[in-house]
Amino acid sequence: MRFEIDFLNLKFRAAASEAVSFRVCETAVSEKSKESSELSALDLLKQQDRESAKRALAARLFRNGVKQEDPVDLSYQVREGERVEPITPESGEALEIYRHSTAHLLAAAVLDLFPGTKLGIGPALLDDPKGGFYYDFQRDDGGRFTPEDLPKIEKRMKDLVKRNLEYRRCEMSKSEAEKKFAEMGEPLKCELIEEKGGDTVSCYTIEGTPFVDFCLGPHIPSTGKIKAIKLLSIAGAHWKGDESRAQMQRIYGTSFFTQEELDAWVKQKEEAERRDHRKLGPELDLFSFSDPIGPGLVLWHPNGALIRKVIEQFLDGELYRRGYGFVNTPHITQSELFHISGHLLHYRDVLYPEMKDLENEQVQYRLKPMNCPFHIQVYQSRQRSYRDLPQRFAEYGTVYRYERSGVAHGLMRARGFTQDDAHIFCTPEQLKAEIFGCLDLVDFIFRAFGFEYKTELSVQHPTDHSKYLGSDEVWEMAENALAEALNERGLHYQRMEDEAAFYGPKIDFKVVDAIKRTWQLSTIQVDFNLPERFEIEYIGSDNKPHRPIMVHRAILGSFERFFGILIEHFAGAFPPWLAPVQAIVLPISDRFNERAVAVERELRAVGHRVQTDLRSEKIGKKIHDAQLKKIPFMLVIGEREAEGNTVAVRDRVRGDTGAVPVADFSARLSELVRTRALAT
Amino acid sequence: MRFEIDFLNLKFRAAASEAVSFRVCETAVSEKSKESSELSALDLLKQQDRESAKRALAARLFRNGVKQEDPVDLSYQVREGERVEPITPESGEALEIYRHSTAHLLAAAVLDLFPGTKLGIGPALLDDPKGGFYYDFQRDDGGRFTPEDLPKIEKRMKDLVKRNLEYRRCEMSKSEAEKKFAEMGEPLKCELIEEKGGDTVSCYTIEGTPFVDFCLGPHIPSTGKIKAIKLLSIAGAHWKGDESRAQMQRIYGTSFFTQEELDAWVKQKEEAERRDHRKLGPELDLFSFSDPIGPGLVLWHPNGALIRKVIEQFLDGELYRRGYGFVNTPHITQSELFHISGHLLHYRDVLYPEMKDLENEQVQYRLKPMNCPFHIQVYQSRQRSYRDLPQRFAEYGTVYRYERSGVAHGLMRARGFTQDDAHIFCTPEQLKAEIFGCLDLVDFIFRAFGFEYKTELSVQHPTDHSKYLGSDEVWEMAENALAEALNERGLHYQRMEDEAAFYGPKIDFKVVDAIKRTWQLSTIQVDFNLPERFEIEYIGSDNKPHRPIMVHRAILGSFERFFGILIEHFAGAFPPWLAPVQAIVLPISDRFNERAVAVERELRAVGHRVQTDLRSEKIGKKIHDAQLKKIPFMLVIGEREAEGNTVAVRDRVRGDTGAVPVADFSARLSELVRTRALAT
């Protein structure tokens, strides 16, 4: 059998020139498919539309009119009852296939350059700052890849692109595949086949290279389709992420459909690295983590905590104005509360382990992962009448969720974080007005930080309501209330069917930051579940008990994550209303220290956050250090300024802007703060 | 033997008239003491000063010039080498002895009236709102004491006082005592004797009554010394406080040296009950506890949390002005931190149980009982130079301490509470200035709430330094710094020798509330221990590492306890700057609702906390309800006010104070808030 011989050859990878004809191999193992149709997906696409077929990377498959989950290769032999649609670069599915094929190309190039290297896995990545794909390798020669290797490998990949080599699929029985990969000296692949392979498994090769992979596909038809490639970095990795397993090296890269897209991405990546909050955090003395305390538990330093306090006070005023009442609730509770709420059932995975009560064996304590049941306890502390509704309880509530330690990522995914949480208890008639109030607040807050945002309304499945809790009538009322509030607010939104929480419909908000990245922040969720579980009530005008509707909402999400995003959004250069130090007074020599301190005192007296640099350093050094701290204004004082009661104002962006009387600068700063101006 | 016969008689308690001569009994068992002296303490006191001997209740005993810990009866036979001093009502030891004797008197009266009643324990109480003593009883006849019994018992006590009956002491061997009490049918006393008795045990009787008690004494010489008695209440109790043991009834009473003191105490007790924060908390919707959450874990309701927020913001401003930096630290940590800090060693009792890490068996998590080690982690997050000192880190840090559930007492002793905590890291040279700054802050804050206060400086033992950590030199420097700062601040203080913490000297503050009760609140503590344990450093001007001094300080102590004290201090009638609702607008009929809402809006626009009562109720009812809520100002709007853009201002204390333009009222309220006025 041709296939047998070819496949065996593969283990002599140095003999790469002896290409494998997988088209033939495919023919050999799937004789059946040939019976129904001689035409490939590409043949059919060409019949439909020659132009889009030319640009196709793979195909969507429909069987008896139903779209199949997995797309197929263009070489797929279409059977009776099936039809195909082209997947072109514009299609939502295209990028993953494209990058997956680029990962294969990387492996092929590596095998070319470093014969005998063993393969791990090589998936596509769609939204990862590290890259668009990676491949894990284990060098046979005991060597390690170094950054100097990347240009060489990248060049080889580009060479393979120029040769426009075919991606070829081959199917065989599981046992056969295991045998082949064992013969090739790929034990890790054998392990994967053993675990994941069905009766028939598929493999892919790239024509003219020694590369073979156990892979479901699909792939692009040939390497020539790949237009823009960049290899990015090398990282340590372990087989299956398990530290007890083989150590490997992971090469990250990315690919785009055009060089322009790649260039833009690289630029944004550099910009994102410059803004990385994990880098700026220590530089600007904003926050840290501590080994003895443990991972994911944030220490806010004075500079960071001051920004947080400014944000809290900003929210305080807005919330009070909008009729919220503040509450404070404990961080722990007897487990009983989470039995009633269902958290022990639905959220067990994120709960920190129990603490056993010291007096009573029946009692355990738990850290809270959410504030909702606590706010319900406040609601239930007295009888409520319809006249008391809506009740809006707000809390900056610190919750603890046990994230696996690998998942922790600076402030973006901490284990302890403080939500700007609120719960609204209202009658069904009040729901729309409450949602409207929330939308208004979200808009107001986001604008204050200079964020654009996108809105999504998640509703239940149009027909299948089996996984959703609550009557159709109530769902319809709530979904309508949310949609009407969005419409009346004039907000464009995407309607997401079957994306609601099981307990009710919701609105999600994604902010777009200064470098166009999106971050999910706010959520407004209607909840039909907890009011039932806790049997909460209000006495209606009919003097009978009724069940209120509960709305969960958070604007910033958590202070930790929001702060991380904010640091990156502003690249650490916070606008004056947020900056921990708004201005620093810089005397040009010790002679003006006294005057400098007097200016600081004058500005502090009206509430400005001001420091003075009294070090015996040259003014150039003082300015340089203040720039590093990203302080909005530097107030330089020399002979002329001291005599004239002025300060020479240096803006961190625009540089020197001339001397003004101290009172004028003070008034200008007050105005910038009052209006929460985003620029100086 | 006379004693034998007499003692046996005691079990026939109805035969109370047959008095026991314990003077004789004492003679019988302590033949030795007679050898050295025939004189009693009273005899000696009379020789010293006839006047004070007449007023003596017991005596202080000195043996070879050394004061003995336990005072003695006036009937005590003084031996060679001993001398005595009188304990008169003015002496510090007097009240406890006096009330202890009153407790015996209570038991004697009860046995008189309810023969066969079994005795538990009956101690004196010195600073307990429930009373000045109690006695636990178990009725033999199966009956239970009712409030109606108290006047009868009190009358019998007063009868016994009139008869001026002697308190008599008797000593015997332990086994003899156990036999006697067993014969009298007092198994609980036998248990006590078994547990607590030495080889020789002492008992007390009251002449002419069936009462005998196992008791160390001393007691007053006779019932005639008791001048003012009141029985207060009956409570359930268990033998030894153990629910599995016999159920008893506890009768509380009190006694004073004069009727005037008793009357004043009763009045203050009634006042304290009227002000009880556990009663006012629900009435004013300030806070609550929840059964499913558990004991000692406070829920702050919107009215309470608003007051807390006002206090927090008040502190925020003061702290920032005084050069503090805010920090936020987690509520949990890996146990490692508390190993280093020594909390697992020194404070294990108050720690909540551990949570086992889900990923690593070696790791446990703990709730924090204190913030100090966390602030040290912030300090250690970067290298510090002498130029960076002092560093002052402040946090409203919520800590959790496992108090036994019986100990929890509303807000006064919660299991979770938020300290207004701060830690100052400074050089030895800076210590005095830092202490001065703390004293200044304490004074400023206490005055804002209308509290007088007392100050104590706790230093180490003048000669024995064995239990204190750190060199004599450092202690002397620190104690001097504290004393000098106190002197320069012009503060009178009590110097408490041997009362320092093991890790350093400290200053404590006790506030005096509106009804003259004192509460320990603030503390300023120097700590030589934690800087050593964590090996914290700063780089001095000599470019070498040095150890900073650490100061712990809290002003309010905890928000929970301080709020409890504040509620009682103001009896819930908070001054305008703290009141959750500062004014309520009361239209006299629906016709003026629109105007009322406009007035509310006008006042809210300048930041006042205002509500409107739009209910269709008579104005008298609206005023009554606003008074119950203790809202400082009621703004009544009728025909005349609506036409004239005025409000008729009703003060919660002074009643109607006439109509004024809205703007005038607004300005007045602003001024009251700005100056933090304590009265309206």
Side-chain angles (χ1 to χ4, degrees), chain B residues 233-283:
Chain B
S233 62
I234 305 166
H238 285 271
W239 175 239
K240 292 181 172 171
D242 180 346
E243 287 188 23
S244 68
R245 302 296 305 269
Q247 210 180 345
M248 311 194 77
Q249 280 189 292
R250 174 170 299 178
I251 297 181
Y252 280 100
T254 195
S255 61
F256 283 89
F257 297 119
T258 65
Q259 189 62 39
E260 291 70 38
E261 284 175 280
L262 174 59
D263 291 346
W265 183 85
V266 169
K267 207 178 146 206
Q268 206 208 30
K269 183 176 152 68
E270 286 165 3
E271 187 58 32
E273 277 163 10
R274 190 177 74 80
R275 291 163 179 261
D276 191 334
H277 73 283
R278 292 167 302 174
K279 183 174 140 280
L280 288 172
E283 275 176 30

Side-chain angles (χ1 to χ4, degrees), chain A residues 281-286 288-295 297-306 308-309 312-313 316 320-321 323 325-337 340 349 351-360 365 367 373-375 377-378 381-382 384 387 391-393 396 398 400 402-406 415 534 580-581 604-605 607-610 615, chain B residues 281-286 288-295 297-306 308-309 312-313 316 320-323 325-337 340 349 351-360 365 367 373-375 377-378 381-382 384 387 391-393 396 398 400 402-406 415 534 580-581 604 607-610 615:
Chain A
E283 275 177 31
L284 300 175
D285 199 5
L286 299 172
S288 67
F289 294 90
S290 144
D291 285 341
I293 291 173
L297 299 168
V298 185
L299 295 168
W300 292 71
H301 296 193
N303 284 340
L306 192 126
R308 172 170 165 172
K309 208 173 265 289
E312 283 183 5
Q313 288 178 359
D316 281 351
Y320 185 78
R321 220 185 315 289
F326 301 101
V327 297
N328 294 94
T329 66
H331 304 95
I332 58 170
T333 175
Q334 293 180 359
S335 304
E336 173 66 7
L337 189 73
I340 304 173
D349 282 357
L351 288 176
Y352 267 80
E354 65 192 19
M355 289 171 275
K356 290 186 204 308
D357 189 75
L358 297 169
E359 290 176 347
N360 184 344
Y365 285 89
L367 282 166
F374 293 77
H375 291 192
Q377 292 302 291
V378 175
S381 68
R382 48 181 51 218
R384 308 285 174 177
R387 284 202 204 87
Q391 284 283 337
R392 308 182 190 98
F393 295 150
Y396 307 141
T398 308
Y400 289 88
Y402 191 89
E403 302 273 1
R404 297 286 144 176
S405 54
R415 284 177 166 184
F534 280 93
V581 179
R604 273 182 169 258
H608 296 316
R609 300 188 291 269
V610 181
R615 294 175 304 162
Chain B
E283 275 176 30
L284 300 174
D285 199 7
L286 299 172
S288 66
F289 294 90
S290 143
D291 285 340
I293 292 174
L297 299 168
V298 185
L299 295 168
W300 293 70
H301 295 194
N303 284 339
L306 192 125
R308 172 170 166 172
K309 208 173 265 287
E312 282 182 6
Q313 288 179 357
D316 281 352
Y320 185 78
R321 219 184 316 288
R322 290 159 196 264
F326 301 101
V327 298
N328 294 93
T329 65
H331 304 96
I332 58 170
T333 174
Q334 292 181 0
S335 304
E336 173 66 7
L337 188 74
I340 304 174
D349 283 355
L351 290 175
Y352 267 79
E354 64 191 19
M355 288 171 276
K356 291 185 202 312
D357 189 75
L358 297 169
E359 290 176 346
N360 184 343
Y365 284 90
L367 281 167
F374 293 77
H375 291 192
Q377 292 303 291
V378 175
S381 68
R382 48 181 50 217
R384 309 284 175 177
R387 283 201 205 86
Q391 283 283 339
R392 308 182 191 98
F393 295 150
Y396 308 141
T398 307
Y400 289 87
Y402 191 88
E403 302 274 0
R404 298 283 143 176
S405 54
R415 284 176 165 183
F534 280 94
V581 179
R604 274 183 169 258
H608 296 316
R609 300 189 291 269
V610 181
R615 293 175 305 163

Side-chain angles (χ1 to χ4, degrees), chain B residues 552-571:
Chain B
H552 310 247
R553 73 115 194 86
I555 315 287
L556 312 181
S558 86
F559 282 97
E560 283 71 12
R561 186 155 172 277
F562 185 74
F563 188 44
I565 293 167
L566 217 53
I567 295 170
E568 303 200 355
H569 179 56
F570 290 120

Side-chain angles (χ1 to χ4, degrees), chain B residues 604-619:
Chain B
R604 274 183 169 258
V606 286
H608 296 316
R609 300 189 291 269
V610 181
Q611 290 182 353
T612 304
D613 185 348
L614 293 176
R615 293 175 305 163
S616 302
E617 298 281 0
K618 291 241 167 68
I619 186 70

